[in-house]
Amino acid sequence: MANKTNNYNYPDKNGRFGSFGGRYVSETLISALEELESLYKKIKNDKKFQEELTNDLQTFVGRPSPLYFAKRWTDKLNGAKVFLKREDLNHTGAHKINNTVGQVLLAKKMGKKRIIAETGAGQHGVATAAVCARHGIECIIFMGSEDIERQAQNVYRMKLMGAEVCPVSSGTSTLKDAMNEAMRDWVSYIDDTHYIIGSVAGPHPYPMIVRDFNSIVGTELKKQSKILFGKYPDKIVACVGGGSNAMGIFYPFIKDKEVDLIGVEAAGSGLSSGKHAAPLSDGSPGVLHGMKTYLMQNSDGQILGTHSVSAGLDYPGVGPEHSFLKDMGRVHYEAATDKEALKAFHDLSRVEGIMPALETSHALAWVSKNAKKLKKSDIVVVNLSGRGDKDMQSVAKADGINF
Amino acid sequence: MGRIKDSFERARNQESKTLITYYVAGDNNLNFSKKVFLKLLSHADIIEIGVPFSDPMAEGSVIQRSHERALSSDITFSKILSLVKELRIHNQDKPIVLMGYMNNFLSQGENLFKKIKKAGVDGLIIVDLPYEESEFFYNKLKDIDLDLIRLISPTTPKKTIEKIVKFSSGFLYYVSFRGVTGAKLSNFKEVQDKVKYIKSKTKIPVVVGFGIKEGEIAQKMSKISDGVVVGSRLIDIIQQKNFRLNDSLNFLEKSLKTFKRDVRKK
């Protein structure tokens, strides 16, 4: 592992992270993926593009996001010191916007007139609708009909910003089916449409592009922790669904082996119940949505339905780079149940006055469980990937409250 | 390379183009689909058996629903291979091609291709097989005399076409438009030019699929290529008869006879 970590330079030229990743899509999409890849490589280090991006991140998103010391929660946990990287304070309420502000600029450079995206909890849909409104580009969001019901407020937010929300009722009517439908739309309108995938998933070059745009989180954390602690954190914890917030905060630290990286999946009703969304903890490698990665599937290669209290983690796959980092041993992956996540949600709300997203609450649950086992001098940073306002309905329901 | 090559030759001798049909194994149940395939085997030149997948990314709504119905009838990969074996008892001449998605093939492990061959399959179409893995698959299939049928689309650049034809056998499947199965054809001229270009680069037969809904389109397409693939339209026909076996088969037979006439040279 040591050697691999020192020379970490992925994906390779075929879009692979070891055996994971790749480009498993129908032939019609290949040329669009190649166009996107070559444009991205060309302008990635272009000064003007970087300036434009930085300006948008500062003035539209509100970056840099603060690194906050959760003092009362630390006292309560009576273990390691816990800091929160406040992505919940971003415009539209989550890390998702880091990616969409970047990709909309790519779309404009390619001269695309129409943008499509998939969304589960609605956060990526809202973040996409926002950048499209700002740039005056037509925006279509694909969303599972079940999620539309669960996340009615986010649907309305998207519509307010001018997006068209297309319900998807095939398969399980959730995120994975919304992604299938977005791909189908993309094949049909490939010449003038850009597809903004919302996670570090899908065919190459998406896992790379989404990671790079989100890695601003880890890059800022490096600077902030040097100033605040004089060193890097001992542990960084993030929740993993598709895995974009986790890749964003982990990626700049991969070569810094002294930093432990912990990804937390959704264990739903428990790993042994089978009702969960934890492919890294309890899945096997396969191909879905254009990538080879760990999946929840049966022995015939059919993708299984997932369960999590958080719509954003309710996905049977995971970004291919996470699969690679798991097998390599660089990132440690665990899982937290619905119950543990809900408890962490309540704890942080009561003790710190910060309501985290239910997705993020899975990472917090890991800290609740493990802080005591760590040294008091240890510094743990949690990527507070999103705010919980969107989850009021789900939390109230779990608590047996009707509005 | 036996049956596939023979079938194109047979069509040529009959002054006709090749009629290829697609239907999903297990729709609306295993036995029903077996009856459909037997009907297809007696009228079409090549039959494609769709391997149902939970996430059929390239399919339009008609074939998506078909996959869903098949999966809810508890179809499995091994049942599909048994089905092929049974079909082979009735028909030894016509080519049978499996068409599906990477994950279902991957899940079957090492001996998959040998098992497929042994069941009586002649070729494979893997919708989401990436170019850089096609050489590996091509060689592996070649060793046991299975054809690897590749798709080419309107967005495939000329240079890539030259690469794709190198690692293809049996026939090449030209996707007639930018879209999913069952949608509508928009640009005939583009198809004509692209097929002409592909044919200038290879001796492998080139067939046109996606959007072949009516006899008129089938006629036009078969004039400029070596054959046509009909899929969504056939499922439509069966759906119209609510999967009542005899009605479906009668309606299907009528439609196949018409398509067969449409692909014949005038």
Side-chain angles (χ1 to χ4, degrees), chain B residues 134-145:
Chain B
S134 63
E135 184 176 355
F136 173 81
F137 272 79
Y138 174 81
N139 288 326
K140 223 167 167 163
L141 294 187
K142 202 178 169 194
D143 284 347
I144 53 170
D145 232 16

Side-chain angles (χ1 to χ4, degrees), chain B:
Chain B
M1 303 285 157
R3 293 190 195 103
I4 292 183
K5 211 176 163 194
D6 290 351
S7 73
F8 280 96
E9 234 172 72
R10 208 179 309 134
R12 216 169 298 143
N13 291 337
Q14 293 164 358
E15 302 230 307
S16 173
K17 295 298 172 69
T18 304
L19 177 64
I20 302 171
T21 57
Y22 171 93
Y23 193 72
V24 176
D27 182 18
N28 143 60
N29 57 58
L30 189 61
N31 194 44
F32 186 93
S33 66
K34 184 186 158 186
K35 296 272 165 53
V36 170
F37 286 124
L38 285 171
K39 184 60 81 187
L40 297 173
L41 275 169
S42 54
H43 292 279
D45 300 302
I46 298 177
I47 68 161
E48 289 177 10
I49 297 185
V51 179
F53 182 37
S54 52
D55 296 79
M57 223 163 65
E59 315 299 346
S61 58
V62 170
I63 297 183
Q64 280 176 50
R65 298 290 172 260
S66 179
H67 282 232
E68 283 173 13
R69 282 191 299 268
L71 287 173
S72 58
S73 81
D74 289 327
I75 190 85
T76 60
F77 205 88
S78 68
K79 283 183 193 168
I80 296 174
L81 292 187
S82 307
L83 169 71
V84 176
K85 280 183 201 162
E86 284 175 47
L87 296 176
R88 275 284 168 247
I89 298 172
H90 299 275
N91 188 310
Q92 291 87 45
D93 305 327
K94 297 228 171 130
I96 296 176
V97 170
L98 289 189
M99 179 166 187
Y101 290 80
M102 197 68 179
N103 203 45
N104 296 127
F105 292 111
L106 279 182
S107 70
Q108 300 303 311
E110 267 293 294
N111 279 322
L112 163 76
F113 299 129
K114 278 187 190 144
K115 277 194 284 184
I116 288 178
K117 174 74 187 175
K118 220 179 131 200
V121 172
D122 302 286
L124 288 188
I125 304 174
I126 307 172
V127 180
D128 51 352
L129 174 71
Y131 172 72
E132 73 263 17
E133 280 187 42
S134 63
E135 184 176 355
F136 173 81
F137 272 79
Y138 174 81
N139 288 326
K140 223 167 167 163
L141 294 187
K142 202 178 169 194
D143 284 347
I144 53 170
D145 232 16
L146 267 176
D147 283 319
L148 181 64
I149 295 145
R150 301 296 319 276
L151 299 148
I152 294 176
S153 88
T155 60
T156 311
K158 288 187 171 176
K159 261 200 178 143
T160 313
I161 291 178
E162 285 170 38
K163 288 198 242 167
I164 288 177
V165 301
K166 259 193 242 167
F167 301 115
S168 307
S169 58
F171 59 89
L172 285 154
Y173 188 138
Y174 183 72
V175 175
S176 71
F177 54 73
R178 297 154 178 78
V180 292
T181 50
K184 251 193 148 155
L185 176 74
S186 46
N187 190 342
F188 178 71
K189 177 81 173 48
E190 185 184 58
V191 181
Q192 192 171 22
D193 293 347
K194 220 53 189 255
V195 170
K196 202 170 161 192
Y197 181 79
I198 301 168
K199 289 193 73 67
S200 75
K201 293 294 162 193
T202 179
K203 289 202 170 71
I204 304 171
V206 181
V207 307
V208 179
F210 281 42
I212 314 291
K213 289 188 172 190
E214 322 144 17
E216 199 192 329
I217 300 173
Q219 247 179 51
K220 265 173 113 175
M221 290 300 179
S222 51
K223 262 189 198 135
I224 58 159
S225 68
D226 297 299
V228 295
V229 188
V230 189
S232 299
R233 177 70 193 134
L234 299 179
I235 297 170
D236 251 349
I237 284 171
I238 291 170
Q239 253 175 338
Q240 276 175 39
K241 296 291 167 194
N242 275 324
F243 295 93
R244 288 189 305 269
L245 187 61
N246 288 336
D247 289 354
S248 298
L249 293 179
N250 288 339
F251 199 16
L252 188 62
E253 181 170 324
K254 231 168 99 186
S255 166
L256 287 166
K257 281 181 175 163
T258 319
F259 272 121
K260 195 68 189 150
R261 209 172 44 233
D262 292 327
V263 299
R264 201 164 294 151
K265 275 185 198 162
K266 287 279 147 68

Side-chain angles (χ1 to χ4, degrees), chain A residues 82-133:
Chain A
V82 184
F83 288 77
L84 308 174
K85 179 67 174 154
R86 299 289 308 273
E87 292 299 296
D88 60 319
L89 295 178
N90 291 342
H91 177 43
T92 68
H95 70 287
K96 293 285 184 194
I97 193 122
N98 299 324
N99 169 43
T100 59
V101 290
Q103 284 207 44
V104 76
L105 293 179
L106 294 180
K108 278 179 85 179
K109 293 267 184 300
M110 290 186 290
K112 305 282 183 180
K113 307 259 177 297
R114 182 173 174 270
I115 279 177
I116 59 169
E118 85 293 340
T119 196
Q123 288 306 103
H124 175 56
V126 169
T128 305
V131 298
C132 287

Side-chain angles (χ1 to χ4, degrees), chain A residues 102-369:
Chain A
Q103 284 207 44
V104 76
L105 293 179
L106 294 180
K108 278 179 85 179
K109 293 267 184 300
M110 290 186 290
K112 305 282 183 180
K113 307 259 177 297
R114 182 173 174 270
I115 279 177
I116 59 169
E118 85 293 340
T119 196
Q123 288 306 103
H124 175 56
V126 169
T128 305
V131 298
C132 287
R134 179 169 172 253
H135 289 275
I137 298 180
E138 185 186 356
C139 177
I140 291 107
I141 305 292
F142 293 92
M143 190 168 183
S145 49
E146 193 156 305
D147 290 335
I148 286 184
E149 219 164 281
R150 285 198 278 191
Q151 304 286 343
Q153 281 200 16
N154 268 346
V155 173
Y156 190 54
R157 287 168 82 194
M158 289 181 247
K159 287 182 177 167
L160 285 174
M161 290 186 282
E164 183 189 332
V165 180
C166 288
V168 177
S169 57
S170 56
T172 57
S173 307
T174 59
L175 177 57
K176 81 171 174 76
D177 309 287
M179 201 156 170
N180 289 331
E181 209 51 39
M183 291 269 189
R184 290 177 188 126
D185 177 282
W186 200 29
V187 173
S188 310
Y189 302 99
I190 191 95
D191 293 335
D192 67 349
T193 299
H194 176 62
Y195 178 16
I196 301 190
I197 292 184
S199 195
V200 287
H204 178 61
Y206 282 103
M208 169 178 76
I209 291 178
V210 180
R211 172 198 71 193
D212 289 355
F213 284 141
N214 269 303
S215 66
I216 181 77
V217 181
T219 305
E220 283 175 7
L221 176 59
K222 276 196 149 176
K223 277 191 216 143
Q224 289 166 324
S225 56
K226 277 278 183 199
I227 294 168
L228 219 58
F229 324 129
K231 62 164 196 170
Y232 292 151
D234 298 290
K235 289 187 174 6
I236 299 174
V237 190
C239 65
V240 178
S244 63
N245 91 79
M247 259 344 287
I249 200 164
F250 292 165
Y251 183 60
F253 289 95
I254 284 178
K255 291 181 188 174
D256 305 298
K257 279 168 289 181
E258 72 276 18
V259 182
D260 289 339
L261 305 174
I262 297 125
V264 187
E265 292 191 294
S269 311
L271 286 181
S272 57
S273 72
K275 286 174 76 180
H276 59 75
L280 290 168
S281 307
D282 187 34
S284 57
V287 170
L288 178 69
H289 294 149
M291 59 179 165
K292 188 179 274 182
T293 192
Y294 276 88
L295 299 174
M296 290 184 50
Q297 56 180 333
N298 69 15
S299 60
D300 237 33
Q302 308 299 356
I303 307 306
L304 299 173
T306 51
H307 166 78
S308 169
V309 68
S310 74
L313 301 184
D314 216 346
Y315 181 64
V318 62
E321 193 163 11
H322 285 293
S323 295
F324 180 59
L325 290 167
K326 170 196 155 77
D327 282 6
M328 196 177 140
R330 177 63 187 95
V331 179
H332 189 63
Y333 294 91
E334 290 191 28
T337 62
D338 289 351
K339 223 173 133 188
E340 292 165 333
L342 283 162
K343 184 178 177 301
F345 172 92
H346 283 295
D347 286 351
L348 201 77
S349 303
R350 286 296 293 272
V351 178
E352 293 292 346
I354 295 172
M355 280 190 298
L358 281 178
E359 290 77 13
T360 315
S361 301
H362 288 73
L364 297 167
W366 185 91
V367 176
S368 294
K369 246 191 293 185

